[in-house]
Amino acid sequence: MLLAEPWLWNQDMLRIAICAISILGSVLAHAPQGHVSIILLGATGDLAKKYLWQGLFQLYLDEASNGHSFRFHGAALNPPEQGWQLMTQALDKLSCPLDVLPESCAELKGQFLKLSQYWQLQTAEDYSTLSQDIETRLQQEGLREAGRIFYFSVPAFAYAGIAQHINSSCRPGPGAWLRVVLEKPFGHDRRSAQELSKELGTFFREEEMYRVDHYLGKQAVAQILPFRDQNRNALDRLWNRHHVDRVEIVMKETVDAEGRISFYEEYGVIRDVIQNHLTEILMYVAMELPRNLSNPEELLRCKLQTFRALRSLEKGNAVLGQYQAYQGQVQKELQKPSGYMSLTPTFAGVLLQIDNLRWEGVPFILMSGKALDERVGYVRIIFKNRAYCAQSESHRDSGKSQCQPRQIIFYIGHGTLGSPAVLVSRNLFKPSPPLGSWQEIQEMPELHLFGQRLADYYAYRPRQERDAYSVLISHIFHQQKNSFITTENLLASWDVWTPLLDSITQEVPRLYPGGNGNEHLLDFEQEGNQVVFVQREVEQLVSNPGSGPMPSDFRVLKAKYRQSPLVSAWPEELIARLASDIEVAAERAVRRSGEFHLALSGGASPVALFQRLAKWHYNFPWDHTHLWLVDERCVPLTDPESNFQGLHVHLLQHIRVPYCNIHPMPVHLHRRLCVEEDQGAELYAKEISALVTNSSFDLVLLGLGTDGHTASLFPHSPSGLEGEKLVVLTESPAKPHQRMSLSLSLINRAKKVAVLVMGKRKKDIALQVSRVGHEPKKWPISGVLPTSGQLVWYMDYDAFLG
């Protein structure tokens, strides 16, 4: 027998191997992959009827031919006959993709209906019966169980009970997986979200839970990270504070809240849309790009990094509105009396800022509302334009003119365009087209969007639109967790939004008529670090006969307190006066000696002052100012309890002061806190002596505690109240107990001492201190008597008059 040449023999063997692999792949693709049971809880509800059954049907169409077998269990509290009837009504309305023939569609719907059944699930026994039914069918049909998906389309208050029943009576057996899908709302604030997460965590592992934010399944939103990744070369130089002017993330609705008032009264527009949907989109825009977009751990790490950089939200960061018909709807649906007033906002515009090198100073505007002029959602990144064009507009190619707007838009849907799209101004750069089945938009070139013709954009849209829930249900099935909200992600978001929500509970929203009638009522603008309505409402304060004094009835009151000047006013006026006085003192000191040494107290009282100095005093000589601390808690300087951290958050990060002019107290030395052998107090005293002439600060700002303490000098403190030490370690009766403080001796060397006293809580101590003499051991504040400087008291009316 003749043998073939070795190289020919090797080629034949290679062909045989490739053929075998191909056949094996084909066999494996159609081999049984195991049985999946999908249990839809709340199967007869609105969400299920509108979206979830259609999403499950699409999953069946996509995956049934890939070797999996399915069974769909609809569950609710309705009795079996009624529940099945309601469920089949939803199943009758299922639709097939456009490329499926009507006859084939009818057959596929029939198959899906045969695989669906209804359960009334209330008790642990009901869940146990469901589990036994699944296992019996598996044995009868000789199938291996792959896993179970439980979709919670039920109110959040029902989660814990259902979770307990699943965990105790309806988990799949060994070797099979469990996936639990949770719908928002995930809590009402940080505390409730944490409690709910903790409760669910006792029944399910983190990897078993899929919290749905359906906006992350919308096609334009899902393109944000891939688009950024594909266009790294072009965007690396543009995607930052040097080139981005602002970012707008918007979701507008024309419908109102009628029929959903009980939900809306509890949550309002911020909790319903902004805290979740729009915040998640913000993360996609602002986060650093992970190296691997499909790695959920890396994605979460980049998100959390961005959450931590978000500046704290305050009342001034939001404008609120409420459509006029809302009050009547509340009274009708919730059976409230005619005089009932709801303060729930149905419109909100919020300014967020990110304190990192990429985004510092770039405003991120999140806006949503009901009863507005159009239904539309979009993300708009607007780039700075520094071009000055000499040629008139009529002689330019508008698509390439550098004088035209430069923007990238992820168009989520509806509105003028009517479909999801990605738009890039032609004068910006030519992008790589979005991945997947997207195509360039050729029609409607003269359509105008955001100040430009559609022809002036590189514009792309999906060849086939897919519902967000269908996309997310597919991701759940394939265990793709990067489109879902983890516990850490959820709590990080609530950390951002809870302070704002707490601060606006008593805010009266601006009324608007709804629809086109809103005109300019809801237009708002950025003013410093806040947002305000463009059209200001005229407010009139009318004092009725016999009514108490109104804020406008008072001006700044000048008097004496403990033989020293007293300035008293309403809080806002008082803070404005103190800030102005500090600026005057700074200017005088800089003219006199070239520098201004300012020592500041911590705590809650000076926060408003710090914010005022940061936002309104643009002529303040910060470049010649040295900032010192009056006292400090013995915690790391990054700890939220740290006075320096408070100073950083509310003042330092918003001003331009040389780093070498900032002098935090050295409470954290050698990896330990306020240990006497480390001589932190002595080090601070030496630094003061070296830099401050005669150790005499130009101005020291103090507060007053309810026990008469000031700085961190407490009644009967063994150090700091007497003697010549400049800086001392002290003990506080409140945690954290250990403190570092300037001594009375050093405070009294200052050229000016300002004592800020605010709030009704301080009325009793202010009255008491007004009557005592020089008793620093008992009342440390009484020992504040500058040797050759001036003492001025700044006291608001609540503290002074009660």
Side-chain angles (χ1 to χ4, degrees):
M1 185 174 77
L2 293 173
L3 293 174
E5 290 293 331
W7 67 272
L8 290 172
W9 183 82
N10 285 342
Q11 278 192 332
D12 290 341
M13 289 300 291
L14 183 61
R15 288 193 197 97
I16 292 167
I18 291 171
C19 185
I21 291 168
S22 176
I23 294 168
L24 180 61
S26 178
V27 169
L28 288 173
H30 295 88
Q33 299 292 313
H35 182 80
V36 178
S37 302
I38 300 180
I39 302 94
L40 176 54
L41 301 151
T44 59
D46 285 344
L47 183 65
K49 287 188 281 189
K50 285 181 181 176
Y51 301 110
L52 301 183
W53 280 117
Q54 182 64 46
L56 294 175
F57 181 51
Q58 186 63 51
L59 178 72
Y60 171 69
L61 298 179
D62 294 341
E63 302 295 338
S65 61
N66 293 335
H68 282 98
S69 62
F70 291 92
R71 195 155 191 87
F72 301 91
H73 304 268
L77 299 178
N78 309 85
E81 190 174 330
Q82 182 193 21
W84 173 248
Q85 185 180 3
L86 290 170
M87 198 173 100
T88 52
Q89 288 173 5
L91 299 183
D92 287 342
K93 294 177 183 176
L94 296 177
S95 61
C96 297
L98 295 175
D99 57 354
V100 176
L101 295 172
E103 304 81 31
S104 301
C105 182
E107 185 180 341
L108 291 167
K109 286 172 66 175
Q111 291 171 2
F112 186 76
L113 187 62
K114 287 178 184 176
L115 295 173
S116 304
Q117 65 184 117
Y118 176 82
W119 295 82
Q120 183 183 17
L121 294 182
Q122 287 182 302
T123 65
E125 290 73 24
D126 294 335
Y127 284 84
S128 182
T129 303
L130 169 61
S131 188
Q132 289 167 14
D133 180 81
I134 293 170
E135 289 162 10
T136 301
R137 285 179 182 274
L138 289 168
Q139 290 173 0
Q140 289 172 350
E141 298 173 22
L143 298 172
R144 178 185 65 82
E145 183 168 28
R148 300 178 189 180
I149 297 174
F150 284 86
Y151 201 117
F152 285 45
S153 181
V154 296
F157 66 76
Y159 281 7
I162 293 171
Q164 186 174 10
H165 293 327
I166 293 170
N167 187 56
S168 63
S169 310
C170 211
R171 273 187 172 272
W177 44 258
L178 171 69
R179 289 170 200 157
V180 176
V181 188
L182 305 165
E183 277 283 347
K184 76 173 185 75
F186 310 121
H188 189 263
D189 52 19
R190 212 282 183 187
R191 182 185 56 78
S192 59
Q194 188 168 27
E195 287 174 357
L196 179 60
S197 298
K198 186 177 180 182
E199 198 163 20
L200 290 171
T202 61
F203 305 115
F204 306 126
R205 298 189 301 276
E206 181 67 34
E207 61 269 22
E208 293 176 330
M209 290 187 281
Y210 291 71
R211 291 184 187 85
V212 169
D213 185 324
H214 76 276
Y215 259 58
L216 300 187
K218 289 185 178 287
Q219 287 169 290
V221 175
Q223 276 296 331
I224 295 174
L225 289 177
F227 178 87
R228 289 180 58 192
D229 190 47
Q230 285 171 260
N231 294 280
R232 276 182 193 259
N233 290 342
L235 289 176
D236 272 352
R237 65 183 179 84
L238 294 172
W239 210 256
N240 56 62
R241 61 192 166 99
H242 302 297
H243 295 279
V244 175
D245 183 64
R246 70 179 187 273
V247 178
E248 300 172 359
I249 304 173
V250 172
M251 200 276 271
K252 296 165 67 177
E253 295 182 274
T254 54
V255 298
D256 61 19
E258 189 173 15
R260 296 182 68 223
I261 295 295
S262 59
F263 168 84
Y264 219 78
E265 261 300 271
E266 187 176 356
Y267 290 94
V269 67
I270 294 179
R271 290 182 175 94
D272 185 34
V273 176
I274 299 179
Q275 176 272 327
N276 36 66
H277 304 325
L278 303 195
T279 302
E280 286 302 312
I281 294 172
L282 166 65
M283 290 298 111
Y284 278 13
V285 173
M287 65 193 276
E288 294 300 309
L289 264 183
R291 290 187 180 86
N292 180 359
L293 295 184
S294 59
N295 184 328
E297 287 80 17
E298 201 172 336
L299 192 73
L300 175 62
R301 179 182 60 78
C302 293
K303 270 190 182 182
L304 294 177
Q305 188 179 35
T306 307
F307 270 121
R308 283 192 289 269
L310 280 172
R311 189 177 298 175
S312 300
L313 287 173
E314 300 161 357
K315 187 164 59 176
N317 296 127
V319 289
L320 308 173
Q322 183 190 91
Y323 63 83
Q324 286 174 342
Y326 185 78
Q327 295 290 348
Q329 292 169 349
V330 170
Q331 292 165 15
K332 179 182 175 183
E333 292 188 30
L334 302 184
Q335 298 179 334
K336 297 290 186 181
S338 59
Y340 179 80
M341 278 283 292
S342 169
L343 298 179
T344 302
T346 61
F347 167 88
V350 186
L351 167 67
L352 289 99
Q353 292 183 290
I354 302 173
D355 289 320
N356 60 23
L357 287 175
R358 183 181 293 279
W359 296 116
E360 183 183 11
V362 177
F364 286 78
I365 302 294
L366 276 56
M367 187 189 86
S368 185
K370 289 189 172 293
L372 300 180
D373 60 322
E374 62 175 335
R375 182 186 182 190
V376 68
Y378 59 83
V379 184
R380 187 180 177 208
I381 299 98
I382 303 165
F383 293 85
K384 295 174 182 177
N385 197 334
R386 298 185 180 92
Y388 299 90
C389 295
Q391 193 82 337
S392 71
E393 191 173 328
S394 58
H395 295 126
R396 293 197 306 260
D397 176 355
S398 61
K400 294 180 181 177
S401 168
Q402 291 305 309
C403 288
Q404 290 289 313
R406 305 163 75 225
Q407 49 197 337
I408 295 174
I409 297 144
F410 297 94
Y411 201 86
I412 298 168
H414 305 290
T416 311
L417 197 53
S419 66
V422 177
L423 312 173
V424 180
S425 295
R426 288 182 180 270
N427 61 2
L428 196 59
F429 68 92
K430 184 173 183 179
S432 299
L435 289 172
S437 53
W438 285 63
Q439 62 186 3
E440 194 159 358
I441 301 175
Q442 303 289 350
E443 63 271 27
M444 304 182 294
E446 297 304 315
L447 179 71
H448 273 73
L449 285 167
F450 305 106
Q452 291 180 273
R453 296 180 309 136
L454 190 58
D456 294 337
Y457 295 101
Y458 295 106
Y460 308 91
R461 70 179 173 202
R463 294 179 191 277
Q464 183 179 347
E465 289 188 47
R466 291 199 67 186
D467 171 66
Y469 281 99
S470 297
V471 172
L472 293 176
I473 287 170
S474 175
H475 288 180
I476 294 161
F477 179 77
H478 289 289
Q479 203 180 359
Q480 296 172 357
K481 289 213 72 174
N482 48 331
S483 299
F484 300 91
I485 311 302
T486 66
T487 301
E488 277 188 285
N489 187 159
L490 173 68
L491 297 180
S493 179
W494 278 120
D495 280 337
V496 171
W497 289 101
T498 299
L500 173 66
L501 289 163
D502 288 345
S503 73
I504 62 172
T505 52
Q506 299 303 313
E507 281 294 294
V508 179
R510 170 173 289 195
L511 292 179
Y512 58 96
N516 293 330
N518 297 333
E519 297 185 348
H520 305 299
L521 262 180
L522 297 179
D523 293 348
F524 60 97
E525 62 185 345
Q526 184 178 355
E527 195 175 85
N529 292 319
Q530 300 185 337
V531 282
V532 295
F533 284 118
V534 173
Q535 186 175 321
R536 309 295 169 92
E537 290 180 319
V538 179
E539 295 181 9
Q540 291 183 334
L541 297 176
V542 180
S543 296
N544 295 321
S547 66
M550 302 297 289
S552 57
D553 295 333
F554 291 91
R555 293 193 179 277
V556 174
L557 174 67
K558 296 179 181 179
K560 289 279 187 180
Y561 179 84
R562 290 183 57 81
Q563 288 79 52
S564 294
L566 166 70
V567 178
S568 192
W570 291 103
E572 190 173 340
E573 293 167 323
L574 184 72
I575 290 298
R577 171 62 186 272
L578 176 54
S580 178
D581 288 352
I582 293 174
E583 183 171 352
V584 169
E587 289 169 348
R588 286 175 180 166
V590 171
R591 282 198 300 269
R592 184 177 61 247
S593 62
E595 56 189 16
F596 176 56
H597 288 274
L598 172 64
L600 297 169
S601 287
S605 292
V607 167
L609 172 67
F610 297 161
Q611 293 169 345
R612 177 88 190 185
L613 287 169
K615 294 173 185 175
W616 297 98
H617 290 259
Y618 298 108
N619 288 325
F620 199 101
W622 291 116
D623 50 341
H624 295 283
T625 298
H626 285 259
L627 291 169
W628 303 82
L629 289 190
V630 166
D631 63 331
E632 181 60 281
R633 297 173 170 92
C634 292
V635 296
L637 297 184
T638 54
D639 192 295
E641 293 273 358
S642 163
N643 286 344
F644 179 78
Q645 180 65 9
L647 184 65
H648 168 74
V649 168
H650 298 293
L651 179 63
L652 294 180
Q653 66 180 353
H654 309 299
I655 60 175
R656 293 185 177 179
V657 60
Y659 297 135
C660 55
N661 288 10
I662 301 170
H663 308 281
M665 282 186 157
V667 293
H668 198 182
L669 297 171
H670 307 125
R671 297 187 179 181
R672 50 189 188 176
L673 295 164
C674 293
V675 175
E676 282 198 32
E677 300 92 84
D678 294 335
Q679 297 188 321
E682 289 79 1
L683 284 172
Y684 206 53
K686 286 179 182 177
E687 189 177 5
I688 293 167
S689 299
L691 296 176
V692 183
T693 304
N694 299 323
S695 299
S696 174
F697 290 111
D698 294 298
L699 193 147
V700 174
L701 176 70
L702 298 177
L704 172 62
T706 53
D707 59 353
H709 84 265
T710 191
S712 279
L713 303 172
F714 298 92
H716 308 292
S717 177
S719 57
L721 299 176
E722 297 176 335
E724 293 304 311
K725 274 192 171 185
L726 302 184
V727 185
V728 295
L729 293 177
T730 66
E731 290 282 331
S732 164
K735 291 183 178 180
H737 297 299
Q738 283 189 300
R739 308 287 176 94
M740 186 179 289
S741 178
L742 304 186
S743 68
L744 280 180
S745 171
L746 179 56
I747 291 169
N748 286 332
R749 296 186 191 186
K751 297 177 179 69
K752 180 174 180 177
V753 177
V755 183
L756 178 61
V757 188
M758 296 180 71
K760 288 184 178 179
R761 287 178 58 247
K762 303 294 176 69
K763 178 185 176 246
D764 291 341
I765 188 63
L767 181 62
Q768 183 71 42
V769 168
S770 70
R771 296 170 176 170
V772 302
H774 182 73
E775 300 178 59
K777 277 287 185 185
K778 189 174 181 182
W779 311 101
I781 189 68
S782 71
V784 177
L785 294 167
T787 311
S788 56
Q790 182 188 29
L791 170 63
V792 181
W793 296 82
Y794 294 83
M795 204 174 295
D796 71 359
Y797 290 139
D798 281 337
F800 185 49
L801 304 173

